[in-house]
Amino acid sequence: VLAAAAFHREEGPIPIDVARLALVDTLKRQRGELALRYEQLATGQKRLLKALAGQPATDLYAKPFLDRTGLAKSSVDRAKKSLEAAEHIIYDDRLGWRVADPIFERHLQFGELLDMGEEVDPENIVSM
């Protein structure tokens, strides 16, 4: 979907600015599907995903991360197991625990802005 959006904007090699615009286009087009995926999750799973969106964590049970989620260790453990089984989160040896799907991750970060009819700055949508 992202590649199609990029090629729709420009043929040939895709420069980063076009890729960023295509990602915003993709988020707008898939807003309903991504929102439904999120709404079907339990509250603890939502909080864990939101905390990981754009901010991977190596230790989900560390006090700073628990404070960020507002969850107890046992709740994080239950949410982690469910999200991992559903392949919503993965452990990356370089980054730690992160949201597995980069488009879903951007929805978690920017979907509310789009829902309110606001524009998302393509410069802020991709962190490298």
Side-chain angles (χ1 to χ4, degrees):
V1 175
L2 179 58
F7 283 115
H8 178 74
R9 287 186 165 273
E10 185 166 318
E11 292 182 23
I14 305 298
I16 189 69
D17 60 322
V18 173
R20 290 172 197 250
L21 289 168
L23 183 51
V24 173
D25 291 345
T26 300
L27 287 175
K28 288 178 181 177
R29 276 194 217 103
Q30 292 191 333
R31 214 167 62 214
E33 177 187 323
L34 294 166
L36 181 61
R37 187 189 313 180
Y38 178 73
E39 290 305 320
Q40 291 175 335
L41 300 171
T43 302
Q45 294 170 356
K46 290 177 184 177
R47 290 169 110 179
L48 181 57
L49 271 175
K50 282 279 205 176
L52 290 174
Q55 300 180 56
T58 54
D59 185 358
L60 300 182
Y61 307 107
K63 182 165 177 22
F65 186 79
L66 293 173
D67 290 345
R68 195 163 85 205
T69 64
L71 296 170
K73 284 182 183 182
S74 59
S75 297
V76 167
D77 193 50
R78 275 192 309 276
K80 177 184 106 28
K81 287 176 183 173
S82 296
L83 291 170
E84 188 177 18
E87 298 180 352
H88 286 305
I89 63 172
I90 58 172
Y91 188 81
D92 180 308
D93 290 333
R94 192 173 51 97
L95 301 171
W97 289 100
R98 66 176 182 82
V99 178
D101 177 347
I103 293 175
F104 188 43
E105 180 176 33
R106 293 323 182 277
H107 169 75
L108 295 169
Q109 293 175 281
F110 302 103
E112 290 175 8
L113 289 174
L114 293 171
D115 288 344
M116 293 187 296
E118 295 189 28
E119 288 298 316
V120 173
D121 182 357
E123 290 296 317
N124 295 330
I125 202 155
V126 178
S127 57
M128 304 233 167

